[in-house]
Structure formats: C-alpha cells, structure tokens
Amino acid sequence: MKHCLVVDDSSVIRKVARRILEGHDLRISEAENGQSALALCKQAMPDGILLDWNMPVMDGFDFLAELRSLPGGDAPKVVFCTTENDVAHIARAMRAGADEYVMKPFDKEIITSKFAEVGLL
C-alpha cells in the first residue's frame, strides 16, 4: 500500500484530503506544518505528499527545498495545494521540485486526477 503524507495547517483540509485519499487505498499520515512533515519524512519517506503552501513554522516551499535535499527526498511525488493562483507562484513551486499542483478549494475529482497524473493512483 502506498503511503501519502498530507501537510496542511488546517485540520479540516487534512481531514477532507485523508477521506479522499483513503478511498483510493492509500495509507495516510498528517502533519500541520513543514517542520513536522520533514521529521516524518526522515523517519519514513512517503510515496506522495499533498503539500500546503502557506503554513506557520515552515511553509511548503521551504519544506520542499529541504525534502529534495534529503537522501531519498527526490522520490516522493509532491502535489502542491494552494490558494495562490498566480502563475509565478505555481512556476516557483514547480522549479522547487513539485510534481503537480491543485487549487483550493479542491474536490474528490481534482485530487484523484492529480494523484493519478503523478502515478500515485
């Protein structure tokens, strides 16, 4: 079973994402910020990460840079999840190592589509 880490400071977003992804037979872990997510990745690297951009302690962009520098950190498929719809933000995320992105609010079809595109489903 593939493992996905959902990283968002909103417990509601984490809960919704968990329900969607568990419906696709993914094992889910959660983190409320990039620093907590990084600690989890150091323990066990996930197959995929749904990553919020704006979070306290460590934002998604800084987390992604740290993740990609870890041994094995190039392996997880990262789907950025953000309210930012500016092309510059999206391009910055993709250059930093994101594999795909989704806009908030998202629904089951959008998450399913993006995770299928990166090969997690």
Coordinates of all heavy atoms in Angstrom, one line a residue, residues 18-96:
R18 N -7.6 13.3 3.7 CA -7.5 12.0 4.2 C -8.6 11.1 3.7 O -8.4 10.0 3.2 CB -7.5 12.0 5.7 CG -7.5 10.5 6.3 CD -7.6 10.6 7.8 NE -6.3 10.8 8.4 CZ -5.4 9.9 8.7 NH1 -5.6 8.6 8.3 NH2 -4.2 10.2 9.2
R19 N -9.9 11.6 3.8 CA -11.0 10.8 3.4 C -10.9 10.5 1.9 O -11.2 9.3 1.4 CB -12.3 11.5 3.7 CG -12.6 11.4 5.2 CD -14.0 11.9 5.4 NE -14.3 11.8 6.9 CZ -15.1 12.5 7.5 NH1 -15.8 13.5 6.9 NH2 -15.4 12.3 8.8
I20 N -10.6 11.4 1.1 CA -10.5 11.2 -0.4 C -9.4 10.2 -0.7 O -9.6 9.2 -1.4 CB -10.2 12.6 -1.1 CG1 -11.4 13.5 -1.0 CG2 -9.8 12.3 -2.6 CD1 -11.1 14.9 -1.5
L21 N -8.2 10.4 -0.1 CA -7.1 9.5 -0.5 C -7.2 8.1 0.1 O -6.8 7.1 -0.5 CB -5.8 10.2 0.0 CG -5.5 11.5 -0.8 CD1 -4.3 12.2 -0.1 CD2 -5.2 11.2 -2.2
E22 N -7.8 8.0 1.3 CA -8.0 6.6 1.9 C -9.0 5.9 1.0 O -8.9 4.6 1.0 CB -8.5 6.7 3.3 CG -7.4 7.1 4.3 CD -7.9 7.2 5.7 OE1 -9.1 7.4 6.0 OE2 -7.0 7.0 6.6
G23 N -9.9 6.5 0.3 CA -10.8 5.9 -0.6 C -10.1 5.3 -1.8 O -10.7 4.5 -2.5
H24 N -8.8 5.6 -2.0 CA -8.0 5.1 -3.1 C -7.0 4.1 -2.5 O -5.9 3.9 -3.2 CB -7.4 6.2 -3.9 CG -8.4 7.0 -4.6 ND1 -9.0 6.5 -5.8 CD2 -8.8 8.3 -4.4 CE1 -9.8 7.5 -6.2 NE2 -9.7 8.5 -5.4
D25 N -7.2 3.6 -1.4 CA -6.3 2.6 -0.7 C -4.9 3.1 -0.5 O -3.9 2.4 -0.7 CB -6.3 1.3 -1.6 CG -7.6 0.6 -1.5 OD1 -8.2 0.6 -0.5 OD2 -7.9 -0.1 -2.5
L26 N -4.8 4.4 -0.1 CA -3.5 5.0 0.3 C -3.5 5.0 1.8 O -4.5 5.3 2.4 CB -3.3 6.4 -0.3 CG -3.2 6.5 -1.8 CD1 -3.2 7.9 -2.2 CD2 -1.9 5.9 -2.3
R27 N -2.3 4.7 2.4 CA -2.1 4.9 3.8 C -1.7 6.4 4.0 O -0.9 6.9 3.4 CB -1.0 4.0 4.3 CG -0.8 4.0 5.8 CD 0.2 2.9 6.3 NE 1.5 3.0 5.6 CZ 2.5 3.7 6.0 NH1 2.4 4.5 7.0 NH2 3.6 3.7 5.3
I28 N -2.4 7.0 5.0 CA -2.2 8.5 5.2 C -1.6 8.8 6.5 O -2.0 8.2 7.5 CB -3.6 9.2 5.1 CG1 -4.4 8.8 3.8 CG2 -3.5 10.7 5.2 CD1 -3.6 9.1 2.5
S29 N -0.6 9.7 6.5 CA -0.1 10.4 7.6 C -0.4 11.9 7.5 O -0.6 12.3 6.4 CB 1.4 10.2 7.7 OG 1.7 8.8 7.9
E30 N -0.4 12.6 8.6 CA -0.7 14.0 8.6 C 0.4 14.8 9.3 O 0.9 14.3 10.3 CB -2.1 14.3 9.2 CG -3.2 13.7 8.5 CD -4.6 14.0 9.2 OE1 -4.6 15.0 10.0 OE2 -5.5 13.2 9.1
A31 N 0.6 16.0 8.9 CA 1.4 17.0 9.6 C 0.8 18.4 9.4 O 0.2 18.7 8.4 CB 2.8 17.0 9.0
E32 N 1.0 19.2 10.5 CA 0.3 20.5 10.5 C 1.3 21.6 10.0 O 0.8 22.8 9.8 CB -0.2 20.9 11.9 CG 0.9 21.1 12.9 CD 1.5 19.8 13.5 OE1 1.0 18.7 13.2 OE2 2.4 19.9 14.3
N33 N 2.5 21.3 9.7 CA 3.5 22.3 9.1 C 4.6 21.6 8.5 O 4.8 20.4 8.7 CB 3.9 23.3 10.2 CG 4.6 22.7 11.3 OD1 5.7 22.0 11.2 ND2 4.1 22.8 12.6
G34 N 5.5 22.3 7.8 CA 6.6 21.7 7.1 C 7.6 21.1 8.0 O 8.2 20.1 7.7
Q35 N 7.8 21.7 9.2 CA 8.8 21.1 10.1 C 8.4 19.8 10.6 O 9.2 18.8 10.6 CB 9.0 22.1 11.3 CG 10.1 21.7 12.2 CD 10.3 22.8 13.3 OE1 9.4 23.2 13.9 NE2 11.6 23.1 13.5
S36 N 7.1 19.6 11.0 CA 6.6 18.3 11.4 C 6.7 17.3 10.3 O 7.0 16.1 10.5 CB 5.2 18.4 11.9 OG 5.1 19.3 13.0
A37 N 6.3 17.8 9.1 CA 6.4 16.9 7.9 C 7.8 16.4 7.6 O 8.0 15.2 7.3 CB 5.8 17.6 6.7
L38 N 8.7 17.3 7.7 CA 10.1 16.9 7.5 C 10.6 15.8 8.5 O 11.3 14.9 8.1 CB 11.0 18.2 7.6 CG 12.3 18.2 6.9 CD1 12.2 17.9 5.4 CD2 13.0 19.5 7.1
A39 N 10.2 16.0 9.7 CA 10.5 15.0 10.7 C 9.9 13.6 10.4 O 10.6 12.6 10.5 CB 10.0 15.4 12.1
L40 N 8.7 13.6 9.9 CA 8.1 12.4 9.5 C 8.8 11.7 8.3 O 8.9 10.5 8.2 CB 6.6 12.6 9.1 CG 5.7 12.9 10.3 CD1 4.3 13.3 9.9 CD2 5.6 11.7 11.3
C41 N 9.2 12.6 7.3 CA 9.9 12.1 6.1 C 11.2 11.5 6.5 O 11.7 10.5 5.9 CB 10.1 13.2 5.1 SG 8.5 13.7 4.3
K42 N 11.9 12.0 7.5 CA 13.2 11.5 7.9 C 13.0 10.1 8.6 O 13.9 9.3 8.5 CB 13.9 12.4 8.9 CG 14.4 13.7 8.2 CD 15.0 14.7 9.2 CE 15.5 15.9 8.5 NZ 16.0 16.9 9.5
Q43 N 11.8 9.9 9.2 CA 11.5 8.6 9.8 C 11.2 7.5 8.7 O 11.6 6.4 8.8 CB 10.4 8.7 10.8 CG 10.7 9.5 12.0 CD 9.5 9.7 12.9 OE1 8.4 9.0 12.7 NE2 9.6 10.6 13.9
A44 N 10.3 7.9 7.8 CA 9.8 7.0 6.7 C 9.4 7.9 5.5 O 8.4 8.6 5.6 CB 8.7 6.2 7.2
M45 N 10.1 7.8 4.4 CA 9.8 8.6 3.3 C 8.5 8.1 2.6 O 8.4 7.0 2.3 CB 11.0 8.5 2.3 CG 11.0 9.6 1.2 SD 11.2 11.3 1.8 CE 12.9 11.3 2.3
P46 N 7.5 9.1 2.5 CA 6.3 8.7 1.8 C 6.4 8.6 0.3 O 7.4 9.0 -0.3 CB 5.3 9.8 2.2 CG 6.2 11.0 2.3 CD 7.6 10.5 2.9
D47 N 5.4 7.9 -0.3 CA 5.4 7.8 -1.8 C 4.9 9.1 -2.4 O 5.3 9.5 -3.5 CB 4.5 6.7 -2.2 CG 5.0 5.4 -1.7 OD1 6.1 4.9 -2.1 OD2 4.3 4.7 -0.9
G48 N 4.0 9.8 -1.7 CA 3.4 11.0 -2.2 C 3.1 12.0 -1.0 O 3.0 11.6 0.1
I49 N 3.1 13.3 -1.4 CA 2.8 14.4 -0.4 C 1.9 15.4 -1.0 O 2.1 15.9 -2.1 CB 4.1 15.1 0.0 CG1 5.1 14.1 0.6 CG2 3.9 16.2 1.0 CD1 6.5 14.6 0.8
L50 N 0.8 15.6 -0.3 CA -0.1 16.7 -0.6 C 0.3 17.9 0.3 O 0.2 17.7 1.5 CB -1.6 16.3 -0.4 CG -2.6 17.4 -0.7 CD1 -2.6 17.8 -2.2 CD2 -4.0 17.0 -0.3
L51 N 0.8 18.9 -0.3 CA 1.5 20.0 0.5 C 0.9 21.4 0.3 O 0.8 21.9 -0.8 CB 3.0 20.0 -0.1 CG 3.9 21.0 0.5 CD1 4.1 20.8 2.0 CD2 5.3 21.0 -0.2
D52 N 0.5 21.9 1.5 CA 0.0 23.3 1.5 C 1.2 24.3 1.4 O 2.3 24.0 1.8 CB -0.7 23.5 2.8 CG -1.3 24.9 3.0 OD1 -1.7 25.5 1.9 OD2 -1.6 25.4 4.1
W53 N 0.9 25.4 0.8 CA 2.0 26.4 0.6 C 2.2 27.3 1.9 O 3.2 27.4 2.4 CB 1.6 27.4 -0.5 CG 2.7 28.3 -0.9 CD1 3.2 29.4 -0.1 CD2 3.5 28.4 -2.1 NE1 4.2 30.1 -0.7 CE2 4.3 29.5 -2.0 CE3 3.5 27.7 -3.2 CZ2 5.2 29.8 -3.0 CZ3 4.3 28.0 -4.3 CH2 5.2 29.1 -4.1
N54 N 1.1 27.9 2.4 CA 1.1 28.8 3.5 C 0.8 28.1 4.8 O -0.3 27.7 5.1 CB 0.1 29.9 3.3 CG 0.4 30.8 2.0 OD1 1.5 31.2 1.9 ND2 -0.6 30.9 1.2
M55 N 1.9 28.0 5.6 CA 1.8 27.3 6.9 C 2.7 28.0 7.9 O 3.7 28.6 7.5 CB 2.1 25.8 6.9 CG 1.3 25.0 6.0 SD 1.8 23.3 5.9 CE 3.3 23.5 4.9
P56 N 2.4 28.0 9.2 CA 3.3 28.5 10.2 C 4.5 27.6 10.4 O 4.5 26.5 9.9 CB 2.4 28.6 11.5 CG 1.4 27.5 11.3 CD 1.2 27.5 9.8
V57 N 5.5 28.0 11.1 CA 6.7 27.3 11.5 C 7.6 27.1 10.2 O 8.7 27.6 10.2 CB 6.4 26.0 12.2 CG1 7.8 25.3 12.6 CG2 5.5 26.2 13.4
M58 N 7.2 26.3 9.2 CA 7.9 26.1 8.0 C 6.9 26.0 6.9 O 6.0 25.1 6.9 CB 8.8 24.9 8.1 CG 9.5 24.6 6.7 SD 10.4 23.0 6.7 CE 11.9 23.4 7.7
D59 N 6.9 26.9 5.9 CA 5.9 26.8 4.8 C 6.3 25.7 3.8 O 7.3 25.0 3.9 CB 5.8 28.2 4.1 CG 7.0 28.6 3.3 OD1 7.9 27.8 3.0 OD2 7.1 29.8 3.0
G60 N 5.4 25.5 2.9 CA 5.5 24.4 1.9 C 6.7 24.5 1.0 O 7.4 23.5 0.7
F61 N 7.0 25.8 0.6 CA 8.2 26.0 -0.2 C 9.5 25.6 0.5 O 10.3 24.9 -0.1 CB 8.2 27.4 -0.7 CG 9.2 27.7 -1.8 CD1 9.0 27.3 -3.1 CD2 10.4 28.3 -1.4 CE1 10.0 27.5 -4.0 CE2 11.4 28.5 -2.4 CZ 11.2 28.1 -3.7
D62 N 9.6 26.1 1.7 CA 10.9 25.7 2.4 C 10.9 24.2 2.7 O 12.0 23.6 2.6 CB 10.9 26.5 3.8 CG 11.2 28.0 3.5 OD1 11.7 28.4 2.4 OD2 10.9 28.8 4.4
F63 N 9.8 23.6 3.0 CA 9.7 22.2 3.3 C 10.2 21.4 2.0 O 11.0 20.5 2.1 CB 8.3 21.7 3.6 CG 8.1 20.2 3.5 CD1 8.6 19.3 4.4 CD2 7.6 19.7 2.3 CE1 8.5 18.0 4.3 CE2 7.4 18.3 2.2 CZ 7.9 17.5 3.1
L64 N 9.7 21.9 0.9 CA 10.0 21.2 -0.4 C 11.5 21.2 -0.7 O 12.1 20.2 -1.1 CB 9.2 21.8 -1.5 CG 9.4 21.1 -2.9 CD1 9.0 19.6 -2.8 CD2 8.5 21.8 -3.9
A65 N 12.1 22.4 -0.4 CA 13.6 22.5 -0.7 C 14.3 21.6 0.3 O 15.3 20.9 -0.2 CB 14.0 24.0 -0.4
E66 N 13.9 21.5 1.5 CA 14.6 20.6 2.5 C 14.4 19.2 2.1 O 15.3 18.4 2.2 CB 14.1 20.9 3.9 CG 14.4 22.2 4.5 CD 15.9 22.3 4.9 OE1 16.4 21.2 5.3 OE2 16.5 23.4 4.8
L67 N 13.1 18.8 1.7 CA 12.8 17.5 1.4 C 13.7 17.0 0.2 O 14.3 15.9 0.3 CB 11.3 17.3 0.9 CG 10.9 16.0 0.3 CD1 10.8 14.9 1.4 CD2 9.7 16.1 -0.5
R68 N 13.8 17.8 -0.8 CA 14.5 17.4 -2.0 C 16.0 17.2 -1.7 O 16.7 16.6 -2.5 CB 14.3 18.4 -3.2 CG 12.8 18.3 -3.7 CD 12.4 17.0 -4.1 NE 11.1 17.0 -4.9 CZ 10.3 16.0 -4.9 NH1 10.5 14.9 -4.3 NH2 9.2 16.1 -5.7
S69 N 16.5 17.8 -0.6 CA 18.0 17.7 -0.3 C 18.2 16.5 0.6 O 19.4 16.1 0.8 CB 18.4 19.0 0.4 OG 17.9 19.0 1.7
L70 N 17.2 15.8 1.1 CA 17.4 14.6 1.9 C 17.7 13.4 1.1 O 17.3 13.3 -0.1 CB 16.1 14.3 2.7 CG 15.6 15.2 3.7 CD1 14.3 14.8 4.3 CD2 16.7 15.3 4.9
P71 N 18.4 12.4 1.6 CA 18.6 11.2 0.9 C 17.3 10.5 0.6 O 16.5 10.4 1.5 CB 19.4 10.3 1.9 CG 20.1 11.3 2.8 CD 19.1 12.5 2.9
G72 N 17.0 10.2 -0.6 CA 15.7 9.7 -1.0 C 14.6 10.7 -1.1 O 13.5 10.4 -1.5
G73 N 14.9 12.0 -0.9 CA 13.9 13.0 -0.9 C 13.5 13.4 -2.3 O 12.5 14.2 -2.5
D74 N 14.2 12.9 -3.3 CA 13.7 13.1 -4.7 C 12.6 12.2 -5.1 O 12.0 12.3 -6.2 CB 14.9 13.1 -5.7 CG 15.6 11.7 -5.6 OD1 15.5 11.0 -4.5 OD2 16.3 11.4 -6.5
A75 N 12.4 11.1 -4.3 CA 11.4 10.1 -4.7 C 9.9 10.5 -4.6 O 9.2 10.2 -5.5 CB 11.7 8.8 -4.0
P76 N 9.5 11.1 -3.5 CA 8.1 11.3 -3.3 C 7.5 12.3 -4.4 O 8.2 13.2 -4.8 CB 8.0 12.0 -2.0 CG 9.2 11.7 -1.2 CD 10.3 11.6 -2.3
K77 N 6.3 11.9 -4.9 CA 5.6 12.8 -5.8 C 4.9 13.9 -4.9 O 4.2 13.5 -4.0 CB 4.6 12.0 -6.6 CG 5.2 10.9 -7.4 CD 6.0 11.5 -8.5 CE 6.6 10.5 -9.4 NZ 7.5 11.0 -10.5
V78 N 5.2 15.1 -5.2 CA 4.6 16.2 -4.4 C 3.6 17.0 -5.2 O 3.9 17.5 -6.3 CB 5.8 17.2 -4.0 CG1 5.2 18.4 -3.2 CG2 6.8 16.4 -3.1
V79 N 2.4 17.1 -4.6 CA 1.3 17.9 -5.2 C 1.1 19.1 -4.3 O 0.6 18.9 -3.2 CB 0.0 17.0 -5.3 CG1 -1.1 17.9 -5.9 CG2 0.3 15.8 -6.2
F80 N 1.5 20.3 -4.8 CA 1.2 21.5 -4.0 C -0.2 21.8 -4.0 O -0.9 21.7 -5.0 CB 2.0 22.7 -4.7 CG 3.1 23.2 -3.8 CD1 4.4 23.1 -4.2 CD2 2.8 23.8 -2.6 CE1 5.4 23.7 -3.4 CE2 3.8 24.4 -1.8 CZ 5.1 24.3 -2.2
C81 N -0.7 22.2 -2.9 CA -2.1 22.6 -2.7 C -2.2 24.0 -2.2 O -1.7 24.2 -1.1 CB -2.7 21.6 -1.7 SG -4.5 21.8 -1.5
T82 N -2.7 24.9 -2.9 CA -2.6 26.3 -2.5 C -3.8 27.2 -3.0 O -4.5 26.8 -3.9 CB -1.3 26.9 -3.1 OG1 -1.2 28.3 -2.7 CG2 -1.3 26.8 -4.6
T83 N -4.0 28.3 -2.3 CA -5.0 29.3 -2.8 C -4.3 30.2 -3.8 O -5.0 31.0 -4.4 CB -5.5 30.1 -1.6 OG1 -4.4 30.7 -0.9 CG2 -6.3 29.2 -0.6
E84 N -3.0 30.2 -3.9 CA -2.3 31.1 -4.8 C -2.6 30.7 -6.2 O -2.3 29.5 -6.6 CB -0.8 31.0 -4.5 CG -0.4 31.3 -3.1 CD -0.5 32.8 -2.8 OE1 -0.7 33.6 -3.7 OE2 -0.5 33.1 -1.6
N85 N -3.1 31.6 -7.0 CA -3.4 31.2 -8.4 C -2.5 32.0 -9.4 O -2.7 32.0 -10.6 CB -4.9 31.4 -8.8 CG -5.3 32.8 -8.6 OD1 -4.6 33.7 -8.2 ND2 -6.6 33.1 -8.8
D86 N -1.5 32.7 -8.8 CA -0.6 33.4 -9.6 C 0.4 32.5 -10.3 O 0.9 31.6 -9.7 CB 0.2 34.4 -8.7 CG 1.2 35.3 -9.4 OD1 1.7 34.9 -10.4 OD2 1.4 36.4 -8.8
V87 N 0.5 32.7 -11.6 CA 1.4 31.8 -12.4 C 2.8 31.8 -11.8 O 3.5 30.7 -11.9 CB 1.4 32.2 -13.9 CG1 2.4 31.4 -14.7 CG2 0.0 32.1 -14.5
A88 N 3.3 32.9 -11.3 CA 4.6 33.0 -10.8 C 4.8 32.1 -9.6 O 5.8 31.4 -9.4 CB 5.0 34.4 -10.4
H89 N 3.8 32.0 -8.7 CA 3.8 31.1 -7.6 C 3.9 29.6 -8.0 O 4.6 28.8 -7.5 CB 2.6 31.3 -6.7 CG 2.7 32.4 -5.7 ND1 2.3 33.7 -6.0 CD2 3.1 32.4 -4.4 CE1 2.5 34.5 -5.0 NE2 3.0 33.7 -4.0
I90 N 3.0 29.3 -9.0 CA 3.0 27.9 -9.5 C 4.3 27.6 -10.1 O 4.9 26.5 -9.9 CB 1.8 27.8 -10.5 CG1 0.5 28.0 -9.7 CG2 1.9 26.4 -11.2 CD1 -0.7 28.2 -10.6
A91 N 4.9 28.4 -10.9 CA 6.2 28.2 -11.6 C 7.3 28.0 -10.5 O 8.1 27.1 -10.7 CB 6.5 29.3 -12.5
R92 N 7.2 28.8 -9.5 CA 8.2 28.7 -8.4 C 8.1 27.4 -7.7 O 9.2 26.7 -7.5 CB 8.0 29.8 -7.4 CG 9.0 29.8 -6.3 CD 8.7 31.0 -5.3 NE 9.7 31.0 -4.2 CZ 9.4 31.3 -3.0 NH1 8.2 31.8 -2.7 NH2 10.3 31.3 -2.0
A93 N 6.9 26.9 -7.5 CA 6.7 25.6 -6.9 C 7.3 24.5 -7.8 O 7.9 23.5 -7.3 CB 5.2 25.4 -6.5
M94 N 7.0 24.6 -9.0 CA 7.4 23.5 -10.0 C 9.0 23.5 -10.1 O 9.6 22.5 -10.1 CB 6.8 23.7 -11.3 CG 5.2 23.7 -11.3 SD 4.5 22.2 -10.6 CE 4.5 21.1 -12.0
R95 N 9.6 24.7 -10.1 CA 11.0 24.8 -10.2 C 11.7 24.2 -8.9 O 12.8 23.7 -8.9 CB 11.5 26.2 -10.4 CG 11.4 26.7 -11.8 CD 12.1 28.0 -12.0 NE 11.8 29.1 -11.0 CZ 10.7 29.9 -11.2 NH1 10.0 29.9 -12.3 NH2 10.5 30.8 -10.3
A96 N 11.0 24.3 -7.8 CA 11.5 23.9 -6.5 C 11.4 22.3 -6.4 O 11.9 21.8 -5.4 CB 10.7 24.5 -5.3

